[in-house]
Amino acid sequence: SLPDGSRLLDYLTPIVLAIVSYFFSIQLTVLRIVGERSPWGVLDRDLLALPRFSLYLGKLAANSLIAFFQSLVVVAAVFLLFNAFLRGSLVSVFLFFFASMLAGVSLGLFFSAVVKSRETAMQLVPLAVLVFMALSGFLIEVKDMPPAVSSLSLITPMSLSFHAFSDLVLLGKTLGAVVPSILLLGAWFFLINLLAGTIFCLRDLK
């Protein structure tokens, strides 16, 4: 432990939460959807004869619901089972973790719309998470990045989540203090789903 009685691991909690939220949500969403395609499965639209946009909204709703329960499990495990340090509110951390998971779900839907094989998806997702992690400011401080990269870093989803988790977990700030980050994640959620839904509706992914 450190001189103030805290553990070094406690200071890693924000980045661990950020990485887990995006890696789990992106990877599992992509694998679920890509796994529905030939030769692993039959596309839902072939079974249900639904319009593609309705099918996309259904996938978004289903994966968002799954993300909600995953958020409950992860936050409970981290703070109740493993007793990670928490200066703020557990409810606030859960709500922001769920918001991060929703952003990850939208990215997962986007990746699933642009890749055709499970192998490609399994290679793309870890690479994307590594890029997000590099831009988050955890490995390299934002002030030490080139100006163009540092500007991008300030608005990338994982960077928003990492800094918000730092405020909520380590500094004990309220959910109201991270509202700008929530709004930016909401903007990412809307824009990525708009793009992913458009690609999903226009491309033949079978």
Side-chain angles (χ1 to χ4, degrees):
S1 61
L2 299 178
D4 61 358
S6 61
R7 299 170 299 176
L8 181 59
L9 185 61
D10 294 333
Y11 292 93
L12 297 178
T13 301
I15 191 61
V16 169
L17 289 173
I19 293 172
V20 167
S21 64
Y22 286 96
F23 183 77
F24 275 18
S25 56
I26 297 173
Q27 181 86 325
L28 296 179
T29 299
V30 170
L31 292 181
R32 273 193 297 267
I33 295 176
V34 175
E36 296 169 359
R37 303 182 192 139
S38 300
W40 301 287
V42 180
L43 285 173
D44 290 346
R45 68 170 183 267
D46 296 330
L47 295 174
L48 303 176
L50 291 173
R52 290 192 178 186
F53 185 68
S54 297
L55 180 60
Y56 180 84
L57 291 179
K59 291 180 182 295
L60 174 61
N63 283 282
S64 296
L65 181 61
I66 292 172
F68 176 82
F69 290 106
Q70 289 174 334
S71 299
L72 282 175
V73 172
V74 172
V75 172
V78 170
F79 294 103
L80 300 181
L81 182 60
F82 295 106
N83 197 31
F85 175 82
L86 175 62
R87 183 165 289 166
S89 164
L90 185 63
V91 173
S92 297
V93 173
F94 164 73
L95 291 175
F96 196 89
F97 190 89
F98 179 50
S100 299
M101 289 283 284
L102 289 179
V105 166
S106 64
L107 287 166
L109 289 168
F110 171 75
F111 290 143
S112 70
V114 298
V115 301
K116 291 189 175 183
S117 70
R118 183 174 293 183
E119 290 79 9
T120 303
M122 293 181 70
Q123 295 171 4
L124 179 62
V125 172
L127 177 62
V129 172
L130 283 174
V131 171
F132 287 142
M133 186 176 174
L135 291 173
S136 70
F138 174 71
L139 298 176
I140 304 173
E141 290 192 39
V142 175
K143 64 181 180 64
D144 295 328
M145 298 179 182
V149 177
S150 63
S151 299
L152 178 63
S153 172
L154 294 174
I155 60 170
T156 56
M158 188 177 289
S159 178
L160 293 170
S161 296
F162 168 53
H163 290 98
F165 283 133
S166 297
D167 288 341
L168 295 171
V169 174
L170 301 180
L171 301 181
K173 293 186 178 180
T174 64
L175 192 63
V178 297
V179 165
S181 296
I182 295 175
L183 294 177
L184 284 172
L185 284 180
W188 275 107
F189 180 81
F190 174 78
L191 293 174
I192 295 171
N193 277 296
L194 181 62
L195 180 59
T198 301
I199 296 172
F200 188 86
C201 292
L202 295 179
R203 285 190 59 185
D204 183 7
L205 295 174
K206 190 170 182 178

